[in-house]
Amino acid sequence: MTAIERRDKGLPYRPDHTIDEQQERARILMEKLNSTKHSDLDEIRKIEKELLGKSKNLLINPPFYCDFGFNIEVGDRFFANFNCTFLDTGKIIIGDSCLIGPNVSIYTSGHPIHPDARKCVPVYAMDVTIGDNCWIGGNVTICPGVHIGSNVVIGAGSVVTKDIPDWSVAAGNPCRVIRKITDEDRRYYYKDREFDEEAWEYIVRGEICR
């Protein structure tokens, strides 16, 4: 099998010129994206749609870094803040209405533990998936092969090494579920601070923010 075939099957592989050629496209688009004026949101969105494999209504605040781009699929109303790194040797699939904080790293690439193996067949890829309606806090690291369910909040600075189930607040290094999210949480925006009546009306009507 070729290096690309092995990579796409999740097998360990030896990078070669065909991998380099695929990465060249992403490097060109990243350079263009990261040098675009931050005020030119239309151009930023245009480049990002070209860079990513699948997207709808999205905004990623540059700078942004990835390996290939085409292995990243995001849903509707996706937002990622400054200085995120998505190493998409494997697939990174993210659902609708997800918020990604600044300095978040998502890694699908891994390397064998034993040095003899790592020198000879140095890379493998494991897909990462994130469900709908998730908020990933700033400085979070998500490791290869992790599945994060829908309606999940990951606390800032966490290192996610294992799957996180739906409707969870999780945090820490390694990241662990702290508690479930319930209907009681709907009324509050920060700790014990309740939404005011104007904001609460949007929630009651189910009026989704752009």
Side-chain angles (χ1 to χ4, degrees):
M1 284 185 285
T2 66
I4 290 173
E5 288 171 338
R6 292 186 63 86
R7 178 198 66 195
D8 293 348
K9 288 180 180 291
L11 297 171
Y13 70 95
R14 298 160 64 98
D16 63 11
H17 71 280
T18 63
I19 302 290
D20 294 340
E21 288 168 1
Q22 286 189 331
Q23 286 186 310
E24 184 178 0
R25 169 188 169 275
R27 287 171 177 154
I28 291 169
L29 288 170
M30 280 189 295
E31 183 177 8
K32 185 177 179 183
L33 171 65
N34 293 335
S35 62
T36 298
K37 288 175 62 176
H38 285 197
S39 58
D40 194 348
L41 295 183
D42 288 341
E43 181 65 13
I44 286 170
R45 284 190 165 102
K46 178 182 174 183
I47 298 166
E48 289 167 351
K49 285 188 72 68
E50 185 179 356
L51 175 61
L52 271 57
K54 180 183 176 183
S55 64
K56 294 180 182 178
N57 175 22
L58 83 156
L59 176 62
I60 301 172
N61 277 335
F64 172 72
Y65 306 97
C66 64
D67 277 331
F68 300 97
F70 58 71
N71 270 337
I72 302 169
E73 300 181 5
V74 302
D76 197 13
R77 298 180 304 279
F78 176 81
F79 173 73
N81 221 320
F82 302 103
N83 205 41
C84 287
T85 299
F86 292 3
L87 299 186
D88 60 319
T89 303
K91 287 277 189 183
I92 296 174
I93 300 175
I94 302 175
D96 293 339
S97 300
C98 285
L99 304 175
I100 309 293
N103 303 302
V104 167
S105 297
I106 301 177
Y107 303 147
T108 65
S109 299
H111 311 282
I113 290 174
H114 198 285
D116 289 348
R118 193 166 58 246
K119 286 185 290 187
C120 297
V121 188
V123 185
Y124 63 84
M126 304 289 287
D127 297 349
V128 169
T129 61
I130 300 173
D132 298 329
N133 308 308
C134 291
W135 172 24
I136 311 298
N139 291 289
V140 166
T141 298
I142 300 172
C143 294
V146 164
H147 171 75
I148 295 173
S150 293
N151 308 304
V152 170
V153 175
I154 304 292
S158 298
V159 178
V160 189
T161 61
K162 295 182 179 180
D163 294 354
I164 304 295
D166 297 348
W167 291 97
S168 298
V169 176
N173 181 7
C175 188
R176 293 184 176 90
V177 174
I178 296 172
R179 66 177 180 87
K180 301 299 288 184
I181 296 171
T182 70
D183 277 348
E184 182 69 17
D185 293 302
R186 195 165 179 253
R187 210 32 165 135
Y188 300 90
Y189 66 94
Y190 178 75
K191 296 185 178 180
D192 61 348
R193 296 189 184 184
E194 293 191 36
F195 286 102
D196 63 272
E197 289 307 313
E198 180 181 348
W200 182 243
E201 280 300 312
Y202 291 123
I203 297 166
V204 169
R205 294 197 299 266
E207 190 171 320
I208 296 173
C209 186
R210 65 181 177 88

